[in-house]
Amino acid sequence: MVQEDFFKYQITAVNLLEEISSKMNFSYKQYANGKFLLITNYENFAKFRTKNFDTFKEIETKLSNYKVANQPITFSIGFAYGTDEILKLNQLAKDALLFSKTRGGNQVTVFKYGNKPIVYGSNMEIEPSISRSELNYVSKNLLNRLKKPEIKNIIIYGHKFSDLDALGSAYGLGHFLVNYSKYKYKQKKNFYIQNSTFDTTTEMFIRANINFFPDKIFIKPSVAKKMTDENTIVIMVDTADRKRIENEDAFAKTKPENVFIFDHHRIGDQNLEFISSGNEYIDTTTSSTSEIVTDIINLYTTSEVKFIDSFIAQMLLNGIYMDTKQFSKSTSTKTLMQQHF
C-alpha cells in the first residue's frame, strides 16, 4: 500500500470516528498506524451492544469502497470489560481485536474478563494472519473436554465423498487426540471416522495404503448413531454444514459442549445451534483443514514428544497439497511453514 493511500484511508476512519464520538460519548486516540484506542463507560458500551454495534457500520461501509491488491479493507473492533485492572483490560481488548481480525475482519469481538468471546458482524476474507490466538482457544476447549474420564469415544465426520483434505484432517486430528490423551491424561480414547463415501483419488489412496489404517476405523452412519451418547466427542472437519455429512443425527445424543468444528470454508447462513459457542474454528484464509490440524498438532508438539508418525504427516501434507492445487493457490507463509512441520 502506498503512503498516500494509507493516509486517505486513515483520514476517512478518523473523520468518521470524530463524528460518531461526538454523538455517542466515547473518547479515542490513535496508538499505532491504523489502530485506535476507544474509551467509554459501561452504560454507553451497553447501548452499542444492544444495537449490535451498528453505530460503527458507517466506517465499515466507507472503508469497504477501497481495495488494496483486490483485497477489501476491513474494520475490526475489540471491546473488553469485567475487570478494574487497566493492564489486563488493555491486553484483553487487544486480544479481542486480534480475534476479530483472525476471523476475517469487519467484526466486533467482546471479551468479558473470565468469559468466552462474543462476536458480532460478518466474515469477509482477508490476508491470513500467522496468529494462533483463536485456534489456541478452541483447541484448549477441545482438550479440556478430552481430559474428562467419562469421554471414551471420538467420532470425526468429513463431508460426503470425502477428499484428501477431509480424510487427512480427520485422521491426523483423531490420532493426535488419542495420543495426547494417552501421554497427558494417561487415559485411553478411541477415535473413528464416519465416512463411507470418498472421491476417486481418496479411494485410491485408501486402497493403496490399507495396511496403515486400523481395522474398523471407518464406520457407517448406523454404527455412529449407536455409538454416540452424551459422553462422545463429535467433530466435523472440512465442513461446517451438517447437511454435508452422512449422518443426519450426528449431534442428537451428545452435548453441544462436546461438538467441535474445524473448517476453512465460508459457513454461509446455516445455524450452528448444535454446538457451544467457542467450539468452532472456521478460517477462510487458511489453505485447507489439514493445515489447521497441522497447526493444532504443532501447538502441542515439543522436541521430546511427537504425537503423529510419518504416515499421518504425509496424509496432512496430501490434504494441503490437494486443496492448494500443488501450492499454486490459497497459499500463505503459514501454509509453507506447516508443510515443513
Side-chain angles (χ1 to χ4, degrees):
M1 183 187 302
V2 297
Q3 195 74 3
E4 291 81 4
D5 286 341
F6 178 81
F7 282 121
K8 179 171 63 177
Y9 311 144
Q10 187 166 261
I11 289 170
T12 299
V14 169
N15 288 340
L16 289 168
L17 278 173
E18 183 67 27
E19 182 180 338
I20 295 171
S21 65
S22 63
K23 298 176 183 177
M24 299 301 295
N25 189 30
F26 67 83
S27 300
Y28 72 92
K29 180 179 180 180
Q30 184 170 212
Y31 66 92
N33 283 337
K35 295 183 179 180
F36 300 85
L37 177 67
L38 275 62
I39 300 175
T40 189
N41 56 34
Y42 181 80
E43 181 180 358
N44 206 43
F45 163 75
K47 291 179 181 177
F48 290 150
R49 189 167 56 178
T50 300
K51 296 181 180 180
N52 291 329
F53 301 95
D54 286 344
T55 306
F56 299 96
K57 279 288 184 181
E58 187 178 352
I59 299 178
E60 176 187 322
T61 302
K62 289 275 188 180
L63 291 177
S64 67
N65 294 325
Y66 301 117
K67 288 191 175 183
V68 177
N70 291 321
Q71 287 284 342
I73 293 177
T74 60
F75 184 69
S76 302
I77 304 177
F79 279 102
Y81 71 104
T83 177
D84 293 327
E85 296 183 42
I86 298 300
L87 292 178
K88 286 185 178 180
L89 200 62
N90 183 52
Q91 185 58 52
L92 203 59
K94 289 181 179 179
D95 290 344
L97 174 61
L98 187 59
F99 198 91
S100 289
K101 290 170 65 179
T102 56
R103 286 179 62 93
N106 283 347
Q107 299 183 46
V108 177
T109 298
V110 176
F111 273 17
K112 180 181 179 182
Y113 185 72
N115 289 57
K116 294 180 180 180
I118 300 175
V119 182
Y120 303 79
S122 62
N123 191 13
M124 294 180 63
E125 292 184 352
I126 59 171
E127 288 299 318
S129 166
I130 298 180
S131 167
R132 296 174 171 180
S133 59
E134 184 187 356
L135 184 59
N136 188 34
Y137 177 84
V138 178
S139 62
K140 281 184 177 179
N141 285 349
L142 175 55
L143 295 180
N144 283 336
R145 299 306 301 173
L146 184 71
K147 73 179 179 182
K148 295 185 176 298
E150 62 269 24
I151 298 291
K152 301 297 182 185
N153 294 321
I154 305 160
I155 301 178
I156 305 179
Y157 291 85
H159 51 75
K160 298 172 184 176
F161 297 100
S162 175
D163 56 17
L164 287 177
D165 186 30
L167 175 63
S169 56
Y171 197 70
L173 182 58
H175 269 283
F176 164 71
L177 293 174
V178 167
N179 291 334
Y180 186 89
S181 178
K182 181 180 179 180
Y183 171 78
K184 187 74 174 179
Y185 307 135
K186 312 302 179 189
Q187 297 176 18
K188 184 181 184 300
K189 312 288 184 180
N190 305 302
F191 92 91
Y192 305 89
I193 298 175
Q194 200 293 283
N195 265 110
S196 53
T197 60
F198 304 91
D199 68 15
T200 303
T201 303
T202 307
E203 278 188 345
M204 290 174 60
F205 176 83
I206 293 173
R207 284 199 299 268
N209 297 278
I210 193 64
N211 292 333
F212 287 95
F213 293 100
D215 292 338
K216 300 179 180 178
I217 187 72
F218 299 107
I219 60 175
K220 295 181 179 180
S222 57
V223 176
K225 288 179 184 179
K226 293 178 181 178
M227 186 180 295
T228 304
D229 59 26
E230 63 178 11
N231 294 318
T232 304
I233 288 179
V234 177
I235 305 172
M236 280 203 301
V237 295
D238 208 32
T239 182
D241 187 350
R242 63 191 305 175
K243 295 178 182 178
R244 293 195 65 206
I245 62 176
E246 296 173 356
N247 180 13
E248 60 185 19
D249 298 319
F251 316 106
K253 296 180 182 178
T254 195
K255 300 175 182 178
E257 55 264 36
N258 288 340
V259 180
F260 292 83
I261 294 173
F262 297 97
D263 189 22
H264 70 116
H265 301 98
R266 288 180 179 273
I267 62 173
D269 58 359
Q270 58 261 32
N271 192 343
L272 301 182
E273 81 287 348
F274 55 89
I275 186 172
S276 292
S277 175
N279 281 11
E280 78 282 3
Y281 182 79
I282 301 169
D283 185 357
T284 60
T285 69
T286 301
S287 71
S288 57
T289 308
S290 291
E291 180 183 330
I292 293 172
V293 171
T294 302
D295 213 357
I296 293 173
I297 297 170
N298 207 3
L299 280 170
Y300 300 96
T301 296
T302 67
S303 57
E304 293 80 22
V305 183
K306 307 292 183 184
F307 293 109
I308 61 172
D309 59 25
S310 58
F311 177 69
I312 299 168
Q314 183 61 56
M315 288 188 65
L316 290 166
L317 182 59
N318 290 348
I320 298 173
Y321 188 77
M322 291 298 292
D323 263 30
T324 59
K325 295 190 182 299
Q326 304 173 27
F327 301 110
S328 65
K329 73 178 188 69
S330 301
T331 306
S332 67
T333 304
K334 183 159 68 72
T335 309
L336 299 177
M337 287 169 60
Q338 298 307 344
Q339 72 157 321
H340 290 291
F341 167 60

